[in-house]
Amino acid sequence: MKLKEKIRSWKNAFSYRQKVIFITLGGVIAGLCLLFAYLLRMHTYIIGDDPAACVNCHIMSTYYATWSRSSHARDVTCNDCHVPNGNIVSHYAFKGMDGMKHVAYFVTRSERQAIMAENSSAEVIMDNCIRCHKQLNQEFVKTGRIDYMMAKRGEGKACWDCHRNVPHGGMNSLSSTPMAESQVPLPPDPVPAWLQKALGHDPGK
């Protein structure tokens, strides 16, 4: 059966009322999905490199605060360390999959109090350590041949075995980390100002 005939048979299979219902339901579902993506600020994760996007999830405030006062804050963002930077395809593929995994953890409230990097993330982080400090670890101390999986097998050390406090100093626990709230930008309110006014709230407060 040709495509045109298939389309015609599909049109004839449903009444006008059923078509209207299906299209309306499809529009509502699509609209809710877009609203959900907006409320989660997914565009800030996928497109941008601003570290402030990470504090859209409140649990990341400590990590943002410790990074902002570290030596890494002068030169690198979260994506420079936590996302592959070899090519644009692997960069955005990993960013999308990892971001959706984080969303799933957050929505289901299954995130840990003290976040630990999983194997896939740890491998990316160590690759980026070696990439940025190439001259140091290949010419001076010659550790660049060791990757994360080798370190996991006991064939060497991961970068953070010695330098754990460099990017996120003092991350012993969330309660013991001194928090400078003024250094942690609050995420903007996802509710539009016109809707807040309609609900009787003052968006300026």
Side-chain angles (χ1 to χ4, degrees):
M1 186 183 291
K2 294 181 180 180
L3 181 61
K4 288 183 178 180
E5 292 176 357
K6 288 182 178 180
I7 294 172
R8 193 178 296 113
S9 65
W10 180 84
K11 286 181 178 179
N12 295 331
F14 301 100
S15 67
Y16 176 79
R17 183 176 187 145
Q18 288 174 321
K19 291 175 188 175
V20 170
I21 292 172
F22 289 146
I23 291 171
T24 303
L25 285 175
V28 169
I29 292 169
L32 288 174
C33 289
L34 289 173
L35 177 62
F36 183 68
Y38 173 75
L39 293 175
L40 289 174
R41 305 224 166 251
M42 291 178 68
H43 56 286
T44 63
Y45 300 110
I46 297 171
I47 300 171
D49 282 326
D50 185 0
C54 293
V55 294
N56 285 339
C57 295
H58 67 89
I59 197 170
M60 297 304 297
S61 296
T62 302
Y63 299 87
Y64 181 93
T66 51
W67 163 83
S68 68
R69 287 176 280 169
S70 73
S71 59
H72 281 65
R74 294 192 302 265
D75 303 306
V76 298
T77 65
C78 305
N79 288 328
D80 289 317
C81 296
H82 293 275
V83 177
N85 288 286
N87 62 73
I88 194 168
V89 175
S90 63
H91 178 88
Y92 283 103
F94 184 91
K95 197 175 182 183
M97 290 187 293
D98 208 46
M100 289 308 298
K101 181 176 65 178
H102 292 168
V103 167
Y105 285 154
F106 187 72
V107 169
T108 59
R109 297 186 177 183
S110 55
E111 73 276 4
R112 298 177 181 177
Q113 185 189 30
I115 298 172
M116 300 287 290
E118 297 178 358
N119 282 336
S120 57
S121 292
E123 193 168 359
V124 167
I125 294 167
M126 188 157 168
D127 285 345
N128 282 323
C129 290
I130 294 169
R131 176 181 59 84
C132 283
H133 301 285
K134 187 174 182 179
Q135 184 179 25
L136 172 65
N137 58 44
Q138 291 189 6
E139 294 181 19
F140 299 154
V141 294
K142 301 186 177 175
T143 59
R145 296 184 184 87
I146 299 172
D147 61 22
Y148 174 70
M149 296 313 293
M150 291 171 67
K152 195 171 175 63
R153 291 194 299 266
E155 298 173 19
K157 288 188 176 183
C159 302
W160 46 86
D161 288 334
C162 298
H163 306 285
R164 180 170 295 277
N165 288 332
V166 172
H168 297 287
M171 286 296 296
N172 297 321
S173 71
L174 291 182
S175 59
S176 65
T177 302
M179 289 287 292
E181 293 296 337
S182 61
Q183 292 184 341
V184 180
L186 293 174
D189 195 327
V191 181
W194 62 267
L195 183 55
Q196 291 188 44
K197 288 181 179 178
L199 295 173
H201 299 293
D202 186 357
K205 292 183 179 180

